[in-house]
């Protein structure tokens, strides 16, 4: 099992110590780890001799009616998966006060990249994400940090944050790891009943439908979005959004090109799943 660190001070000290010997890579997570998280840890391992994984279900990125209280947890299993993937140590705060001590009042407010998509559906979400990531970068002073393209908007916000605030940590994005049927791996997949798990494949099917329409010559954004939404609805998912956006600024392009991304969010019961990918490649 990877060594477990429970306090912010011990995490800062452990990071400072390994940084004396070489580069430190950071992999922030909310735990209940799967092969997607492990792929980030392995990528981190290939770039730095020391890899710190953090496991923290960050309360400030959850809305009042979201799943903070029931978010799945399995610290023991996570420690094994971290060790298996080559993590040097794991910071799992014993109490949220380690991150948000008494009197905490300073937040990081991201800009327009946090506006559309999940930003508009989950008010305050990216403010919470940006704040906790800034804190983890400050505590660790990691040379490099790895994030998944599964949360593409989050990755964009964090890349910007690191540059804008001169945090000194390079942010690297990694591809989405999927189940055999195409469903993007997610800790939240654990919420799904067997029937809903079958239906969830509609997210990757909706993306595939957009890709094949694009390959057949469809370039109109609204028609591709309507196509994605119809695939989701027909499988019994409730669409939160089905939008096409440019990868760089997350704006809607005048017409679809190969690097335009399909962004999807949909509910199966109370469970909200997201996915995204480019029209080509
Ligand atoms: P989470 O624990 O959901 O906050 O995710 C922690 C990190 O793992 C984030 O950078 C996610 O984008 C990344 N991640 C989550 N699911 C996947 C996946 N299926 N493939 C690759 N990375 C992922």
């Amino acid at each position: 099992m990877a060594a477990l660190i429970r306090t912010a001070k011990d995490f800062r000290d452990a990071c400072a110590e390994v940084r004396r010997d070489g580069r430190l890579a950071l992999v922030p997570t909310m735990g209940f780890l799967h092969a997607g998280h492990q792929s980030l840890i392995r990528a981190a391992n290939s770039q730095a001799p020391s890899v710190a994984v953090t496991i923290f279900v960050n309360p400030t990125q959850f809305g009042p009616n979201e799943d903070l209280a029931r978010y799945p947890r399995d610290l023991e299993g996570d420690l094994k998966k971290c060790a298996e993937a080559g993590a040097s140590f794991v910071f799992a705060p014993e109490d949220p006060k380690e991150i948000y001590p008494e009197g905490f009042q300073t937040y990081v407010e991201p800009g327009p990249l946090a506006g559309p998509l999940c930003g508009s559906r989950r008010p305050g979400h990216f403010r919470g994400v940006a704040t906790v990531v800034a804190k983890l970068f400050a505590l660790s002073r990691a040379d490099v940090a790895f994030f998944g393209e599964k949360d593409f908007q989050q990755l964009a916000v964090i890349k910007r944050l690191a540059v804008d605030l001169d945090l000194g940590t390079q942010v690297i994005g990694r591809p989405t790891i999927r189940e055999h049927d195409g469903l993007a791996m997610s800790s939240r997949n654990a919420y799904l009943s067997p029937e809903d798990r079958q239906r969830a494949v509609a997210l990757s099917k909706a993306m595939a439908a957009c890709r094949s329409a694009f390959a057949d010559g469809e370039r109109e954004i609204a028609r591709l979005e309507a196509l994605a939404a119809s695939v989701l609805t027909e499988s019994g998912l409730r669409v939160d959004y089905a939008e096409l956006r440019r990868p760089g600024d997350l704006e809607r392009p005048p017409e679809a090109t190969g690097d335009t991304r399909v962004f999807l969010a949909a509910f199966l019961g109370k469970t909200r799943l997201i996915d995204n990918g480019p029209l080509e490649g």
Side-chain angles (χ1 to χ4, degrees):
M1 291 221 281
L4 176 61
I5 295 173
R6 298 298 254 168
T7 69
K9 180 183 181 311
D10 287 350
F11 179 53
R12 184 192 285 281
D13 291 348
C15 291
E17 193 177 322
V18 296
R19 275 200 333 270
R20 271 186 233 122
D21 302 331
R23 280 160 63 81
L24 170 64
L26 180 72
V27 181
T29 80
M30 298 205 299
F32 210 72
L33 303 181
H34 50 64
H37 298 112
Q38 286 186 302
S39 79
L40 299 182
I41 300 170
R42 291 199 175 94
N45 224 332
S46 73
Q47 296 226 354
S50 301
V51 177
V53 176
T54 65
I55 296 178
F56 180 55
V57 183
N58 173 35
T60 64
Q61 71 187 67
F62 286 78
N65 298 317
E66 294 183 354
D67 56 344
L68 172 62
R70 65 183 187 119
Y71 197 83
R73 290 162 204 253
D74 174 19
L75 185 55
E76 217 166 289
D78 287 350
L79 293 177
K80 286 190 191 128
K81 286 175 191 156
C82 285
E84 194 180 278
S88 314
F89 51 89
V90 176
F91 174 40
E94 63 195 357
D95 189 296
K97 284 204 171 73
E98 289 297 321
I99 302 294
Y100 300 109
E102 212 65 51
F104 183 90
Q105 58 175 252
T106 307
Y107 291 84
V108 177
E109 192 66 63
L113 283 172
L117 305 171
C118 288
S120 68
R121 286 2 179 256
R122 304 182 67 189
H125 170 66
F126 287 117
R127 178 187 198 241
V129 168
T131 301
V132 78
V133 169
K135 290 198 54 133
L136 294 172
F137 284 10
L139 283 168
S140 66
R141 299 184 56 199
D143 300 280
V144 59
F146 289 80
F147 293 85
E149 286 180 353
K150 153 92 189 332
D151 303 279
F152 193 88
Q153 187 176 19
Q154 168 176 280
L155 171 63
V157 166
I158 291 169
K159 276 188 170 162
R160 197 67 244 172
L161 156 80
V163 171
D164 286 351
L165 300 188
D166 289 321
L167 297 178
T169 301
Q170 182 194 359
V171 175
I172 295 183
R174 298 285 305 165
T176 301
I177 305 298
R178 296 176 180 280
E179 303 284 0
H180 293 302
D181 64 357
L183 176 65
M185 288 192 181
S186 164
S187 308
R188 289 189 167 100
N189 293 348
Y191 294 142
L192 300 172
S193 67
E195 299 74 42
D196 282 349
R197 170 63 189 80
Q198 299 283 312
R199 289 189 190 111
V201 74
L203 287 153
S204 55
K205 281 203 177 129
M207 224 141 43
C210 288
R211 285 200 180 111
S212 92
F214 179 77
D216 290 345
E218 181 62 80
R219 296 291 179 269
E220 200 179 303
I221 298 293
R223 279 221 288 268
L224 290 162
E225 290 177 338
L227 172 63
S230 71
V231 174
L232 296 173
T233 309
E234 278 158 23
S235 297
L237 284 79
R238 184 160 61 80
V239 179
D240 196 21
Y241 60 73
E243 296 185 21
L244 270 68
R245 300 262 168 180
R246 287 198 291 242
D249 58 9
L250 301 184
E251 296 286 338
R252 195 181 247 108
E255 66 168 26
T257 57
D259 67 348
T260 303
R261 287 184 95 87
V262 184
F263 288 91
L264 305 173
F267 285 95
L268 272 162
K270 279 189 192 165
T271 304
R272 183 177 180 276
L273 300 177
I274 60 171
D275 202 351
N276 76 91
L279 283 173
E280 223 172 46

